[in-house]
Structures are given as structure tokens and as C-alpha cells.
Amino acid sequence: MPHLSRASFFTSRKHKPSSTKMATLTMSRPAVAGFSFENCRRNVILEGEVNNLGCSLPAARKTGTTICGVVFKDGVVLGADTRATEGMVVADKNCSKIHYISPNIYCCGAGTAADTEMTTQIISSNLELHSLSTGRLPRVATANRMLKQMLFRYQGYIGAALVLGGVDCNGPHLYSIYPHGSTDKLPYVTMGSGSLAAMAVFEDRYKPDLEEEEAKRLVRDAIAAGIFNDLGSGSNIDLTVITKGNVDYIRPHDEANKKGVRLNELEALQLTGDYKYKRGTTAVLSKCVTPLDLEVVEESIQTMDTS
Amino acid sequence: MLGEAEPQWLSEEVKTGTTIIAIEFNGGVVLGSDSRVSAGASVVNRVMNKLSPLHDKIYCALSGSAADAQTIAEMVNYQLDVHSMEIGEDPQVRSAATLVKNISYKYKEELSAHLIVAGWDRKDGGQVFATLNGLLTKQPFAVGGSGSSYVYGFVDAEYRKGMNKKECQQFVVNTLSLAMNRDGSSGGVAYLVTIDEHGTEEKVILGNDLPTFFDQ
């Protein structure tokens, strides 16, 4: 059988006229789905360079947190503290950690603040479209599936630990969702750095079929345990009570850490903890008013086509 | 502020450090599991049912990473639903085990979960399949999870062929109790599922109702 020798193939190429050039093709990269981690590589290089100069890069803001939820007779109660920390400094003394998912479903978020915020907003948007498509009020199990499938897809890199609660046609439901994508359906859950303190309160005092006031007290006490015993949690306690057909978004439910009043020794006056000062606090030494003569040089109107 | 370490609970993967067991008897299978889910040193769920239904008469027992195991079980549940609609009858246990094996093998580098598949079908009766690391093997009984290491001796010594349903259930409960006592990552309550041609029976055995052995 004739053997197609490789040498002949190569020699034929050599005889190509040198003036023919292949046109340079510029191919744009097709759009890649999902997150692009290009900036992570850039950040690592930047960090090295910046550290050589003796400074450091800004840290991601985390909600070192206490969040919890409890199922009671007619619905669910969700609770959260309101401190957001950036390392060892409090970045926000009154941030809102209970996020809206749908009219009957709310979600508390612990972990990286941006991740919990964006994840809940994405799922809220998708759930609204889904609800319009089905023509029904969304179910908590649907929100749970959407959240866990998204978090699993990102293999734990989205640092969002969530407590999802709501009331749908099948009754009240409560789920805890971990950053890697596992979920637990339980009558009471806690998450965040203060979760152990809050869980201690729940394990002591939880009973099935609580009344609404009892459940609110229990959640308030659990969050308070987290606030006072965990450095990453603090400030006020927010509560959300979800029942069939009604949501009470109580923010704040309890100002557990109220800022005290300061005394001004010189004037023995009680100043409010307010940063607004009355007119006259700063003495005006002189006043000079210069009117500016402006004349209209040119005026043109451009109508916008809003058809 | 220097870049600080991420809080432990954010980065720690939630594991079902576990004891799971499945055993076949003449006419069906018995599956058993503990109920502890841990994230590092903390127990995040002390009552998790790790016996997950894949179909009416086919269950799987989860162990390893909670997220991976739950996701595999839910995916196979969906695939089995489609498959059983396509063939127009109840699926075989071997089919369910093959679907689990396919996922476990294809993604073996990325996943860290082991599922034991057991059930009853009309063709071959009760069957137990192990799918560790992507293999598929039919066995008279299978144990898995971190607690299984402590009870290999017990199950090897105590297993006899031809046990009836009650003896199998007692065997499973004894095994779980011994493992839960010795393994730090197993504990809570014991879940038992018995599948035979008449139906599926789920049972929970609370901590103080578990059998005790000489050192307790």
C-alpha cells in the first residue's frame, strides 16, 4: 500500500510564494457565563506591590452576625442584629440584614455583605418572574432550591450564609442555607458568628406551636445573646414576623445598644447625641454679599423623542 | 487593616460526618443513618435525615460533604423521575445506582460525598449498591461514613446470611448505636427505612431508646 510520507507534505509547503501572508484575524472572546475571576489575579499582584510600600488593600466588608429564625403557630419570625464590620472596625452601626425575597418570603443574610445582598436580590428577581409565569404566590421551597443551586454552582466562593423563612400555601417554612449549597429544613435555626450564643437560647426555650408574642420574645432574646456575647454582632435587633397574608417588618424592634448623652462640662448643658448644631453655635464674624450679574447669552431647546 | 482570616464558619464546609448502613434481606432492604451534621467543631443540625428518597421504593444514604451529597441526591431524584416516565414503570435499583455512580465518577475530583443506594424492585428484589469514588458494586450489606471505621469488625462478625426483616432492623440499630458512641462526628437520633414489596416504612429512634452496650 502506498505510504503517504510526511516529508513530501512538508516539501510542498516550502514552495509556497513568500508574499502570501495569512490575514491576521482578530477574534473577540465569546462572552463567558458566570463570574470572571481575572481581578483576583490582579488583586494578588497589587497586594504584593502595595505591601512592599508598607500599606494594605481595603478589606471586604463582612456582616459578622447573629441571625436566626423560628417557626411558630401561625408563621415564622426572623431576627437579625444590625452591625456590619470591616475587620475590627464597625463599618455600619445600623445595617439591614433581613432582605426581601417576595411578599411572603424574607431572608436574613450572614457572611460577606455584598454576597448576601446580591444573591438575595438576584433570587428575588428570578422568583418574581417565576411567580408571574405560574400565576401563584411563590413557595419557600422554590426560593430554597434556587438559592442552593446557585451557591453550589459557585462552590462556596459566594460567602452567603442565609436563613430563609416564609409562609406559603403549605404553611410556614424555615430553611438554613450554607455557602457551599447545603440546606436544612428545621423549626428553629441560627447562623453567623453569634449563632452558638443564639442557639443556646433556642435549645433552652423553644417549644412547638408558640404564640406570636412568645416567638418574638424568644427571637429577641436569642439575638440579644449573640449581640452581647459575640464581638462581631451588635447594635439593634431587627425582627420580621411573617404570617399568612401579613408581614411585620419591625426595624428596629429593640434598640439594645442606645448611644448615651454627652455632658458639656464648660456650659453644663446636655447635648443631644445629634450631629446637627443649632444656628448660632458658630459665631459669624463678618458677612459679605456680592451679587453676580449674569445675562442669558444663548438658549436652545432640544425636544426628546419619547414616542 | 491587614487582610484578616475569614471567619471559620464561613469557610468551613458543612459535612455529614456520619454513619450509614444498608442491608439486604429476603424481600427487601433496611437502611439506617445517624443525624449529625457538623461544620468544623460545631453541630449545625442534630436531626438531619440522611436517608433521602430517590423514588418510591429506592432510597439513598448520604455521607461526606452535605452540599455535594444533597445535590447529587436531588439531581438523581430528578433524573429517575424522567427515566421512570420514559419506561412507564418503576425504575430498577440498579438504574438509580448507575445514575449516582455516573455523577460520582465524572466529578470524582471535585466532589467529596459517598452515597449508598438501596431499594426494592420487582425484577431482583431487595438490593444494596455502594458507589464510593465512582465504582458500582452490589453487596449484601454496605456501611459508610466516618463512623463506619469503628464498626467494620462488628458487622463482619455479626452478619449472617438469611436474616429476616426484624433481625436486619435490629442489626442496623445495633451497628448505628455502637458507631454513634465511638465516632465524634456521628450522633443524634437514628433513622431507619425499611423497603419491601408492600411499601416503605420510615422510623426514628430517639437517643435514649437506642440499645446500650456494656460500657454505658
Side-chain angles (χ1 to χ4, degrees):
Chain A
M1 206 143 94
H3 180 69
L4 184 71
S5 84
R6 287 202 157 185
S8 61
F9 211 80
F10 284 147
T11 44
S12 68
R13 281 182 161 225
K14 264 195 205 154
H15 292 304
K16 249 195 199 155
S18 55
S19 57
T20 27
K21 287 198 191 91
M22 225 170 47
T24 43
L25 285 171
T26 46
M27 214 168 59
S28 61
R29 270 228 315 243
V32 178
F35 283 162
S36 156
F37 290 103
E38 293 287 313
N39 285 341
C40 293
R41 259 174 275 153
R42 174 205 70 178
N43 288 347
V44 169
I45 297 169
L46 272 180
E47 190 165 3
E49 291 177 10
V50 157
N51 279 337
N52 285 340
L53 297 168
C55 331
S56 60
L57 289 176
R61 199 173 74 161
K62 293 193 166 69
T63 53
T65 292
T66 310
I67 51 174
C68 67
V70 111
V71 173
F72 70 99
K73 203 163 73 166
D74 308 314
V76 302
V77 180
L78 300 175
D81 73 305
T82 59
R83 174 181 289 183
T85 52
E86 205 166 336
M88 280 284 127
V89 174
V90 175
D92 189 347
K93 282 177 282 202
N94 198 1
C95 79
S96 165
K97 300 185 191 180
I98 306 186
H99 309 286
Y100 167 89
I101 301 271
S102 80
N104 58 328
I105 305 173
Y106 278 72
C107 185
C108 312
T112 310
D115 287 346
T116 58
E117 195 73 46
M118 293 314 303
T119 304
T120 46
Q121 282 178 1
I122 291 172
I123 262 65
S124 167
S125 160
N126 288 345
L127 205 60
E128 186 174 347
L129 289 170
H130 185 262
S131 155
L132 285 166
S133 164
T134 59
R136 296 173 164 86
L137 202 61
R139 301 188 189 190
V140 191
T142 315
N144 179 51
R145 268 295 166 106
M146 289 174 154
L147 284 163
K148 73 156 26 177
Q149 283 177 352
M150 179 183 168
L151 291 173
F152 183 81
R153 211 177 333 136
Y154 290 101
Q155 286 291 292
Y157 285 99
I158 296 187
L162 310 166
V163 167
L164 176 76
V167 179
D168 58 28
C169 55
N170 289 337
H173 303 281
L174 185 65
Y175 291 88
S176 66
I177 306 171
Y178 291 85
H180 285 264
S182 60
T183 65
D184 292 308
K185 185 176 192 309
L186 293 164
Y188 54 95
V189 293
T190 64
M191 290 278 232
S193 52
S195 65
L196 260 52
M199 186 51 99
V201 174
F202 276 159
E203 289 284 29
D204 186 32
R205 285 159 46 184
Y206 172 81
K207 293 188 309 288
D209 292 326
L210 290 161
E211 292 297 333
E212 180 172 329
E213 281 313 310
E214 275 183 290
K216 279 163 73 173
R217 244 194 323 258
L218 184 60
V219 171
R220 184 249 158 234
D221 288 343
I223 301 290
I227 286 175
F228 293 118
N229 296 295
D230 174 45
L231 296 177
S233 312
S235 298
N236 313 324
I237 301 170
D238 288 350
L239 279 194
T240 300
V241 184
I242 310 174
T243 50
K244 200 172 174 64
N246 184 47
V247 172
D248 274 333
Y249 191 81
I250 313 169
R251 176 173 154 81
H253 170 71
D254 195 329
E255 293 202 326
N257 293 285
K258 214 176 161 80
K259 197 162 181 172
V261 289
R262 278 170 24 237
L263 239 56
N264 187 319
E265 284 169 349
L266 284 174
E267 295 180 72
L269 268 177
Q270 265 195 336
L271 292 170
T272 58
D274 209 354
Y275 292 130
K276 266 210 174 66
Y277 293 93
K278 346 191 269 290
R279 236 172 221 282
T281 309
T282 307
V284 177
L285 296 176
S286 66
K287 198 157 96 169
C288 173
V289 180
T290 316
L292 295 168
D293 287 322
L294 298 170
E295 49 177 280
V296 179
V297 175
E298 190 194 302
E299 188 183 318
S300 65
I301 302 175
Q302 238 183 4
T303 45
M304 213 165 69
D305 184 13
T306 53
S307 54
Chain B
M1 209 125 333
L2 294 171
E4 55 140 35
E6 217 180 34
Q8 268 196 319
W9 54 270
L10 242 195
S11 52
E12 254 149 16
E13 207 179 321
V14 175
K15 283 187 150 352
T16 54
T18 293
T19 311
I20 49 174
I21 171 171
I23 175 169
E24 164 199 337
F25 62 89
N26 188 7
V29 293
V30 178
L31 292 105
S33 82
D34 74 307
S35 67
R36 179 172 291 185
V37 180
S38 50
S42 175
V43 174
V44 293
N45 187 351
R46 56 183 169 84
V47 287
M48 177 170 183
N49 190 345
K50 300 176 193 179
L51 304 175
S52 187
L54 295 179
H55 202 75
D56 298 334
K57 293 220 165 76
I58 309 176
Y59 272 62
C60 69
L62 315 172
S63 72
S65 154
D68 292 349
Q70 278 185 5
T71 305
I72 298 174
E74 284 167 11
M75 277 168 68
V76 174
N77 183 352
Y78 165 78
Q79 290 171 350
L80 258 190
D81 271 348
V82 174
H83 173 67
S84 77
M85 271 187 254
E86 285 174 348
I87 59 176
E89 58 181 23
D90 284 339
Q92 291 185 16
V93 186
R94 186 170 278 276
S95 316
T98 304
L99 288 170
V100 173
K101 178 266 289 174
N102 286 342
I103 301 175
S104 303
Y105 181 71
K106 186 166 179 192
Y107 298 105
K108 76 190 299 202
E109 301 304 324
E110 289 91 8
L111 293 172
S112 83
H114 173 211
L115 275 68
I116 297 179
V117 181
W120 181 92
D121 63 36
R122 212 187 341 219
K123 187 159 171 277
D124 293 314
Q127 297 147 79
V128 171
F129 289 89
T131 63
L132 185 63
N133 278 337
L135 70 78
L136 177 66
T137 158
K138 179 172 175 327
Q139 299 176 182
F141 70 90
V143 292
S146 56
S148 65
S149 338
Y150 301 94
V151 289
Y152 270 114
F154 176 76
V155 295
D156 285 339
E158 288 293 312
Y159 174 75
R160 287 161 293 121
K161 260 203 320 205
M163 286 196 276
N164 66 24
K165 179 158 83 168
K166 270 229 134 20
E167 289 172 331
C168 278
Q169 285 173 331
Q170 191 57 47
F171 177 74
V172 166
V173 168
N174 287 346
T175 314
L176 286 174
S177 177
L178 285 168
M180 279 153 65
N181 277 327
R182 284 295 180 180
D183 180 25
S185 315
S186 302
V189 304
Y191 287 100
L192 225 70
V193 166
T194 313
I195 311 174
D196 61 13
E197 79 173 295
H198 306 295
T200 308
E201 183 203 325
E202 293 191 12
K203 212 156 73 138
V204 186
I205 301 174
L206 299 181
N208 48 351
D209 296 330
L210 283 170
T212 52
F213 296 87
F214 94 101
D215 60 334
Q216 294 154 273

